[in-house]
Amino acid sequence: MPSVVGLLEQHELAACRRVDGLREEADRIQAELATAEQEWLEWTIARERVGAVLSAPGGDSADAVVADVPDGAVTETGVRASPPVAAKAKSQVPVWREGLARTALPADYQRILAALADRTRLGQGPLTCQEMTVAFGLDVVPAKVQGLRSKAKRLVARGWLAESSPGRFTLARGVSGSDAGS
């Protein structure tokens, strides 16, 4: 018969994994929302400028009609729309693409990439979050390990890292981890 503590640990681990999955999904949606808002802003500005040029005979665009603009945008008349209502992510982790330097990442994420780049350069294998915690000089307590695991999973979701086996992280194919670009 399994112990009560063992059962509790299993349930705790399952809940932790669910939280990690939901955080990753929320981060993905937040990044997608930011991209969509930026695209909306760009199209609104383009339409506003074309409207100003077409409606102003002789090149005077002062009488242009101001269109609806996304929140936070500055219109041709210089009026700033109200700030966005959507919650901001704690840190922005861009999706990896060829030529994007690791300096585009927040410092904690750059640190993870640097550690994995060093391992790759030395011909060593993947790192676990517990090993990263030790390498970074942090206390090996669940809160620190889980914090690193969350960041590493976010980097996997954005294409910076690969998870070769559960909990073992390496640089993703094509990512060099150098400052010059990946």
Side-chain angles (χ1 to χ4, degrees):
M1 177 173 194
S3 71
V4 172
V5 174
L7 290 172
L8 290 173
E9 287 174 346
Q10 288 176 352
H11 286 283
E12 179 184 5
L13 182 60
C16 180
R17 287 181 179 155
R18 178 163 162 63
V19 167
D20 284 344
L22 290 171
R23 281 184 181 144
E24 289 173 16
E25 185 176 347
D27 290 340
R28 181 190 58 76
I29 290 170
Q30 186 65 35
E32 194 173 325
L33 175 62
T35 301
E37 286 175 339
Q38 181 62 35
E39 183 180 5
W40 178 26
L41 175 61
E42 290 169 1
W43 282 111
T44 302
I45 291 170
R47 182 173 48 87
E48 190 175 84
R49 288 183 179 163
V50 167
V53 169
L54 294 176
S55 69
D60 182 16
S61 62
D63 297 326
V65 176
V66 176
D68 291 335
V69 294
D71 290 337
V74 177
T75 66
E76 288 292 322
T77 59
V79 176
R80 182 175 263 300
S82 62
V85 177
K88 295 289 182 193
K90 287 186 234 176
S91 63
Q92 296 294 324
V93 177
V95 175
W96 181 83
R97 64 184 179 279
E98 189 67 38
L100 185 61
R102 79 172 183 213
T103 55
L105 295 169
D108 288 344
Y109 295 88
Q110 289 181 34
R111 195 171 171 193
I112 292 170
L113 280 183
L116 290 169
D118 289 345
R119 298 270 301 191
T120 301
R121 194 172 35 258
L122 296 171
Q124 299 173 342
L127 262 179
T128 65
C129 292
Q130 193 164 13
E131 292 168 335
M132 279 189 245
T133 306
V134 171
F136 297 155
L138 302 172
D139 293 332
V140 184
V141 294
K144 301 291 184 185
V145 174
Q146 289 299 332
L148 277 172
R149 180 171 288 117
S150 177
K151 287 177 174 69
K153 293 276 191 179
R154 188 169 298 125
L155 288 168
V156 168
R158 300 298 197 297
W160 291 88
L161 298 183
E163 193 171 7
S164 56
S165 60
R168 301 194 59 79
F169 300 94
T170 60
L171 292 177
R173 185 170 308 215
V175 176
S176 70
S178 68
D179 289 329
S182 297

